[in-house]
Amino acid sequence: PHMNKTPCGECVHYDPREKFTPLGPQPASYGWCAKKSVYPHKAPDGMVIPEGAQRADSDAAVCAPVIVRPKTVVPACTDMVRK
């Protein structure tokens, strides 16, 4: 079986997130896996939903982020596509 050795941050599906601070938005230490996450039906202010990402069916439906860290390697990941 294939074992992934590439960190999430080097994958085309890595969607970096921002945290909101008193100084304004700053890069967060994590991102979403755009391939595995379910994004909100309608993007909240400031959120850019990657093209082709799966979205919740309606505004009432709950999104389901799959949180990943840029330097983490997920050995069993079959969706890795190096940038």
Side-chain angles (χ1 to χ4, degrees):
H2 170 75
M3 291 286 284
N4 172 50
K5 295 181 173 78
T6 306
C8 291
E10 294 177 27
C11 178
V12 298
H13 301 300
Y14 182 75
D15 180 20
R17 300 281 86 210
E18 289 184 332
K19 58 185 177 183
F20 296 94
T21 73
L23 302 173
Q26 301 289 323
S29 62
Y30 63 88
W32 287 21
C33 173
K35 183 76 172 181
K36 294 181 169 79
S37 295
V38 178
Y39 284 77
H41 180 67
K42 193 171 135 211
D45 286 351
M47 179 184 235
V48 176
I49 297 179
E51 194 172 325
Q54 186 180 343
R55 296 172 96 140
D57 294 336
S58 69
D59 289 338
V62 178
C63 65
V66 174
I67 305 297
V68 292
R69 302 214 175 254
K71 291 184 167 52
T72 298
V73 174
V74 180
C77 181
T78 56
D79 295 312
M80 165 58 67
V81 179
R82 193 184 282 272
K83 287 182 189 172

